[in-house]
C-alpha cells in the first residue's frame, strides 16, 4: 500500500495539468479508487483532491511569478477554463490572487511533493478478527450528519436523544444477526474523509435477510462479504477514534486486505453509566487486496 501511494504521488506529478483517471490509476496499482482515496486521506491528512489542487497551484505560482505568459494561458494549461476560476483556486491556496502575486512576488504557500514511509511503532495494539458474513440488513432510524474526526458529534447525539427509550428497546428486541445489540452505523461517507462532508448515520440493529421489518424504519441493505472487526476499550469516544485512525496507518498497510464500499458499524459491548469509557467493536467491510 505504501508503494502504491508513492506511485500515485509520482503519477500525480506526471499528469499535474490533466484530469486524473483515478479509477484507471488505481487499477494499474492493483487496488481500487475507493481504498486508494481512503488510505491517502488518512495517511496524508488531506483528501487527494486537495493535494492535487495544492500541487497544481504550487507549480502555477512559478509561472505566475515569472511573468512570461498571460494569466489566461497559465489558467488553461493548469486545467481552468477562465481567469476567474483559476483566480479563485489560486487565492484559496496562496491567500492572494495571481495578479497580486505577479506584482508583489508573494505571498506563496507551497505544497511539497509527498513521500510516504511506513514507520512500525506498535503504538496501538490491534485486537482484530476477520468475519465472513452473508447478506444482512441494518434497520433503524437514520439522518444526515457532518463528518467529525475528533470528539463527540453533537448532531449524532441529538439524533439519538430524540429517539424515545421505548423505541430503543423495540429496536434491540428486533435485532437477530451479528453484529449484536444497538449499533452506530455510518454510510455514504466521502471516500476522501473530508471533515464536514455529510454522511448517513443510522441508529439501529442488524437483522437477517428474511426478518420482517416494521413500517417506519430505515433500511440499509448490506451484501455478503468479509469484515475486519477491531475491538477497542478505554475512554469514549477517544479510544474508538484512535483505533479507527490506526486501521489506516498501521493495520491496512501491513495486512493483505483493503476497504470495500459499504457501511462502517460500531457495536457498544460494555460502557460506563456516563459513557466516559466503553468497550466497542468497529466493523469495517474489507476484501482481499
Amino acid at each position: 500500500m505504501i508503494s502504491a501511494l508513492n506511485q500515485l504521488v509520482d503519477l500525480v506529478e506526471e499528469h499535474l495539468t490533466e484530469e486524473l483517471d483515478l479509477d484507471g490509476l488505481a487499477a494499474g496499482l492493483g487496488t481500487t479508487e475507493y481504498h486508494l482515496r481512503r488510505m491517502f486521506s488518512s495517511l496524508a491528512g488531506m483528501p487527494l483532491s486537495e493535494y492535487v489542487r495544492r500541487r497544481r497551484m504550487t507549480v502555477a505560482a512559478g509561472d505566475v511569478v515569472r511573468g512570461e505568459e498571460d494569466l489566461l494561458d497559465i489558467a488553461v494549461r493548469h486545467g481552468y477554463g477562465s481567469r476567474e476560476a483559476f483566480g479563485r483556486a489560486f487565492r484559496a491556496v496562496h491567500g492572494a490572487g495571481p495578479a497580486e502575486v505577479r506584482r508583489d512576488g508573494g505571498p506563496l504557500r507551497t505544497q511539497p511533493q509527498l513521500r510516504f514511509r511506513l514507520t512500525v511503532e506498535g503504538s496501538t495494539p490491534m485486537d482484530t478478527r476477520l468475519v465472513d458474513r452473508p447478506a444482512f440488513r441494518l434497520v433503524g432510524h437514520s439522518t444526515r450528519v457532518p463528518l467529525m474526526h475528533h470528539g463527540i458529534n453533537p448532531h449524532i447525539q441529538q439524533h439519538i436523544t430524540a429517539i424515545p427509550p421505548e423505541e430503543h428497546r423495540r429496536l434491540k428486541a428486533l435485532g437477530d444477526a451479528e453484529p449484536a445489540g444497538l449499533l452506530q452505523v455510518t454510510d455514504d461517507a466521502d471516500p476522501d474523509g473530508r471533515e464536514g462532508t455529510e454522511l448517513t448515520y443510522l441508529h439501529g440493529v442488524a437483522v437477517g435477510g428474511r426478518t420482517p421489518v416494521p413500517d417506519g424504519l430505515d433500511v440499509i441493505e448490506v451484501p455478503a462479504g468479509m469484515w475486519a472487526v477491531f475491538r477497542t476499550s478505554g475512554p469514549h469516544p477517544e479510544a474508538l477514534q484512535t483505533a479507527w485512525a490506526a486501521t489506516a496507518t498501521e493495520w491496512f498497510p501491513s495486512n493483505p486486505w483493503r476497504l470495500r464500499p459499504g457501511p462502517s458499524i460500531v457495536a457498544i459491548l460494555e460502557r460506563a453509566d456516563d459513557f466516559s469509557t466503553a468497550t466497542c467493536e468497529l466493523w469495517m467491510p474489507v476484501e482481499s487486496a
Side-chain angles (χ1 to χ4, degrees), residues 146-169:
L147 173 63
M148 295 179 60
H149 291 303
H150 304 287
I152 295 173
N153 189 317
H155 305 278
I156 291 177
Q157 287 298 103
Q158 183 179 8
H159 175 66
I160 296 173
T161 303
I163 300 173
E166 59 271 20
E167 182 62 7
H168 286 276
R169 291 191 290 269

Side-chain angles (χ1 to χ4, degrees), residues 185-205:
V185 181
T186 56
D187 195 21
D188 294 328
D190 176 16
D192 284 333
R194 293 174 296 176
E195 191 157 20
T197 55
E198 282 200 336
L199 55 83
T200 296
Y201 174 82
L202 181 139
H203 189 75
V205 295

